[in-house]
Amino acid sequence: MIDIKDIEKSFEGKQVLKGVSLSLQDGETIVILGRSGCGKSVLLKIILRLLVQDRGAVIIDGIDTSRFREEQMMPLRKRIGMLFQGAALFDSLNVMENVAYSLREHTKMPEAEVRDKVAECLEFVELSGTEALMPSELSGGMKKRVALARAMAIGPSYMFYDEPTTGLDPLTSRKINQLIRKLQAERRVSSIVVTHEIANAFQVADRFVVIKDGEILLTGSASEVRGSKLKFVQDFIKGGVIGHGEQ
Amino acid sequence: MNGYLINRARAFSSEVYRFFAFQWEVARRLFRPPYYPKAVWEQMDRIGVDSLSIVVMVGFFTGFVLAFQIGYAMMRFGAKLYVGGIVAVSLVRELGPVLIAMVFAGRVGAGITAELGAMQVSEQIDAMKALATDPLRKLVMTRFLASVLMLPVLVVIGDLIGILGGMLVGVLNLGLTVSFYKSSVVNSLVLNDLFSGLLKPLVFGAMISLVACYFGLNTKGGTRGVGEAVTRTVVVSSVLIFLLDALITKLLFLIGI
C-alpha cells in the first residue's frame, strides 16, 4: 500500500501541489485526472523521489521515505515500475537491452534466463521478435509497450503510468489500456495512471482522483465521477476543459 | 544595476555551491562499489582511443611550430643546439597538458554534456533512477574514471609526437642531427618535469569530466538547453584549465618541483 499525506510542492514560487493526500490499496488502479500542468506527473515523481516534496510524507509499504537519501530509495524503487510519458527508452540500447536492463542490474540471473524473461515480457506486450530493434526504429505505441515491458520485467508490486496513451491513435490507446488491465488482473499489480484523457481513464480505473489547481477536487468510482454535479468534472467528461485559465 | 549584479552574484555562488555538492556526491561514491568496469572500459575506448588522431595532430604541429619559432630565434645567438631541450621541456611541462586538455574539453567534455543532456531532457536519467540505478555511478563515475586514466595517456602520446615534430624541424631546417636532438631532449628533461607533466592532465581530466557531467545532468529546456549546456561546459572547462594550470605551476615551484 502507498500512502501520500499532505504533499506540497512549488516550482520557482508557483505552488503546484497544495496538500494532496491519497492512498493506493493493494491490487487497485487509481486514475488521477486533471488538466495538463496541474501537478499529476509531479505527484508520481514525488512518490518515486525523483522530485522531493516541500512538505508532506510518502509511505510505501509502511516505510516513510520523507527523509530518504538517494541510495535508500533504491530498494523501494525496485518495487515500482514507471512508464514515462515519452517512454524514456535508453536510445543507445536495443529493445532486448532495454527490457533486460533491471534484470542485469539487480539480479544474478544467467544470461539464458534473462533472454527468456525478456521474450516473455515482450510477448506480454505483443512485441515478440523485436529484440534487435533500436528505439529509433519503433513507433510511438511500440515505444510505450517496450517501456511497459521494461518496467514490468523485474516484477514490481506497483506500476505508475504517466500519460500512457497521450499522442497515440485510438486503437493503440486501447491496446495500452488492455495491457494495463491485463497486468493488474494477471499479476495483481497496484497502479496509478495519470492522464487527462477521460475516455481512456474510464477503461482502466477502479477509482478516480480529480485534481484541480493543485488540490483534490473529487475522489470516487466511475459512476460517482459521471454523476458529479461539479462543473469542472462535467466539463472534463464532456471534453470541455482543454487549456489553462478556464473555470 | 546594483540589483542585477547582486542577482548575478547570487546565481553564480549558488551554481558554485551546487557544483561542489555534486563533486562531494561523486567523491562519496569513489570508494564504494559497484564500479561498472565494463562501462569504464567502453568509456576509455570512446574517450581515449577515439581522441588519438586529434591528439597526434595537435602534438605534432605544436612541436613542429615550437621548434621553428625557437630555432630561428636562437639561431641569432648561435644557440640552436638547445632547441630539442627547450621544445621537450615546454611540451612536457606546459604546452602538452594545456593544449591537449583544451582539445579534450572540446571533444570529450562537449560530447559527455551533449549525451547526458539529451538523456536528461528525454527523461532517460529519471528512467534510470526509477529502475533503481544510480546515474552518478553508472554515468558519472564511469566517465570520470575513464577521463582521469586516459587524459594523462593522451598527453604522454601528444608530448612524444610533439618532440618528434620538433625533431623534424631540427633535422630538416636547423641542420641538427637526430642523435644530437635526442641527447638534447634526454639531457634537458628531469623527473620533476615528468611529474608536473603527468599531474596536470590527471587534474584536468578529473575537472573536465566533472564539469561536463554536471552541466549535462542539469540540462533544462529541451534541445536548446542541451546546446547551452555544451557551450557552458567548453567555456568553464577552458577557463578552469588555465586557472588550475597557473595554480599547479605556482604550487610546484613553491615546493621545488
Side-chain angles (χ1 to χ4, degrees):
Chain A
M1 192 172 112
I2 295 178
D3 260 322
I4 300 157
K5 291 180 181 171
D6 296 322
I7 294 290
E8 291 181 16
K9 180 70 184 172
S10 299
F11 292 102
E12 293 170 0
K14 184 175 182 277
Q15 197 167 16
V16 178
L17 295 174
K18 302 171 184 170
V20 171
S21 301
L22 62 93
S23 67
L24 174 68
Q25 304 297 326
D26 289 340
E28 79 166 337
T29 298
I30 292 180
V31 168
I32 302 179
L33 277 173
R35 290 177 189 166
S36 302
C38 76
K40 310 183 295 288
S41 305
V42 171
L43 191 60
L44 290 187
K45 290 187 177 180
I46 285 174
I47 301 173
L48 274 164
R49 213 166 169 77
L50 301 176
L51 290 171
V52 178
Q53 67 271 31
D54 302 331
R55 288 187 63 189
V58 175
I59 298 157
I60 302 169
D61 295 336
I63 303 166
D64 186 348
T65 64
S66 310
R67 293 181 186 278
F68 268 24
R69 294 181 72 100
E70 188 70 10
E71 53 263 40
Q72 290 174 292
M73 271 310 289
M74 294 303 177
L76 288 177
R77 283 180 185 156
K78 287 179 199 166
R79 299 183 200 174
I80 303 170
M82 168 100 177
L83 177 63
F84 286 85
Q85 191 170 352
L89 295 176
F90 301 126
D91 50 21
S92 58
L93 306 180
N94 64 23
V95 169
M96 162 80 197
E97 290 162 333
N98 263 287
V99 180
Y101 184 86
S102 46
L103 299 172
R104 287 174 174 161
E105 282 287 317
H106 305 304
T107 69
K108 291 191 165 63
M109 206 179 262
E111 196 51 30
E113 257 183 69
V114 169
R115 286 181 184 279
D116 289 346
K117 184 77 185 167
V118 169
E120 182 196 321
C121 292
L122 287 174
E123 193 186 335
F124 186 89
V125 297
E126 297 171 28
L127 281 175
S128 295
T130 57
E131 282 89 337
L133 295 178
M134 295 301 287
S136 57
E137 297 172 281
L138 304 175
S139 68
M142 287 167 87
K143 278 182 188 167
K144 291 250 167 115
R145 281 147 71 194
V146 172
L148 183 57
R150 180 180 69 178
M152 60 178 267
I154 204 161
S157 316
Y158 305 99
M159 279 294 300
F160 295 169
Y161 305 88
D162 187 2
E163 307 281 6
T165 52
T166 301
L168 302 179
D169 64 80
L171 293 178
T172 313
S173 295
R174 197 166 68 186
K175 172 70 67 190
I176 298 280
N177 292 332
Q178 284 168 353
L179 288 172
I180 294 172
R181 270 303 192 198
K182 195 171 152 192
L183 202 55
Q184 189 206 18
E186 290 181 11
R187 309 198 179 195
R188 292 282 300 155
V189 174
S190 316
S191 309
I192 301 180
V193 183
V194 151
T195 186
H196 60 263
E197 294 182 326
I198 193 79
N200 293 312
F202 279 115
Q203 289 183 38
V204 295
D206 293 324
R207 190 154 61 97
F208 284 87
V209 174
V210 182
I211 294 185
K212 182 175 181 257
D213 298 331
E215 290 172 296
I216 293 182
L217 190 68
L218 173 74
T219 305
S221 64
S223 57
E224 283 171 314
V225 169
R226 282 201 183 96
S228 169
K229 299 267 190 295
L230 293 165
K231 185 175 183 303
F232 178 82
V233 178
Q234 283 308 313
D235 282 349
F236 217 111
I237 292 171
K238 290 171 195 157
V241 175
I242 297 164
H244 293 270
E246 293 174 55
Q247 295 301 316
Chain B
M1 184 66 185
N2 274 349
Y4 172 77
L5 288 176
I6 288 168
N7 284 341
R8 294 285 297 193
R10 270 193 195 141
F12 177 75
S13 54
S14 123
E15 185 87 56
V16 170
Y17 170 78
R18 285 203 300 272
F19 181 54
F20 277 107
F22 171 76
Q23 289 184 61
W24 169 244
E25 286 298 321
V26 176
R28 279 181 56 228
R29 287 157 172 83
L30 203 54
F31 303 103
R32 275 184 296 171
Y35 291 111
Y36 297 103
K38 197 178 158 211
V40 174
W41 186 254
E42 280 169 14
Q43 287 301 323
M44 283 170 72
D45 184 44
R46 280 178 68 186
I47 286 173
V49 179
D50 292 355
S51 303
L52 211 53
S53 53
I54 193 164
V55 165
V56 166
M57 276 204 298
V58 169
F60 179 79
F61 288 115
T62 306
F64 188 90
V65 171
L66 198 60
F68 247 120
Q69 301 284 15
I70 291 169
Y72 281 101
M74 296 192 84
M75 261 169 49
R76 290 184 218 156
F77 311 105
K80 66 177 182 182
L81 306 176
Y82 299 105
V83 167
I86 295 173
V87 166
V89 173
S90 311
L91 273 173
V92 170
R93 283 197 79 110
E94 193 61 44
L95 289 173
V98 169
L99 290 179
I100 291 166
M102 293 289 283
V103 170
F104 193 83
R107 189 192 174 278
V108 175
I112 290 174
T113 303
E115 186 185 7
L116 300 195
M119 288 180 78
Q120 177 66 36
V121 298
S122 60
E123 291 188 310
Q124 289 178 58
I125 302 287
D126 276 348
M128 194 172 269
K129 288 182 188 169
L131 290 163
T133 309
D134 181 358
L136 288 186
R137 284 190 191 283
K138 181 94 178 172
L139 301 173
V140 178
M141 281 290 291
T142 51
R143 283 155 180 79
F144 172 79
L145 290 174
S147 299
V148 167
L149 292 170
M150 290 315 287
L151 187 54
V153 175
L154 290 172
V155 167
V156 168
I157 293 169
D159 288 347
L160 287 172
I161 299 289
I163 290 169
L164 285 177
M167 189 176 78
L168 204 67
V169 173
V171 172
L172 297 180
N173 293 81
L174 304 175
L176 303 173
T177 63
V178 172
S179 63
F180 191 87
Y181 183 89
K182 200 174 121 190
S183 66
S184 169
V185 169
V186 172
N187 291 334
S188 304
L189 283 175
V190 293
L191 206 61
N192 286 351
D193 299 326
L194 302 180
F195 177 75
S196 167
L198 283 176
L199 176 68
K200 284 180 181 178
L202 202 77
V203 175
F204 295 159
M207 179 275 291
I208 292 166
S209 59
L210 288 172
V211 167
C213 290
Y214 173 77
F215 284 121
L217 290 179
N218 286 286
T219 301
K220 288 185 185 113
T223 47
R224 187 175 172 179
V226 175
E228 285 169 1
V230 169
T231 306
R232 273 196 212 116
T233 291
V234 176
V235 171
V236 171
S237 298
S238 305
V239 171
L240 286 179
I241 286 168
F242 287 110
L243 190 75
L244 289 172
D245 182 49
L247 280 173
I248 295 169
T249 304
K250 177 73 182 168
L251 193 72
L252 291 179
F253 270 100
L254 277 176
I255 59 174
I257 292 177

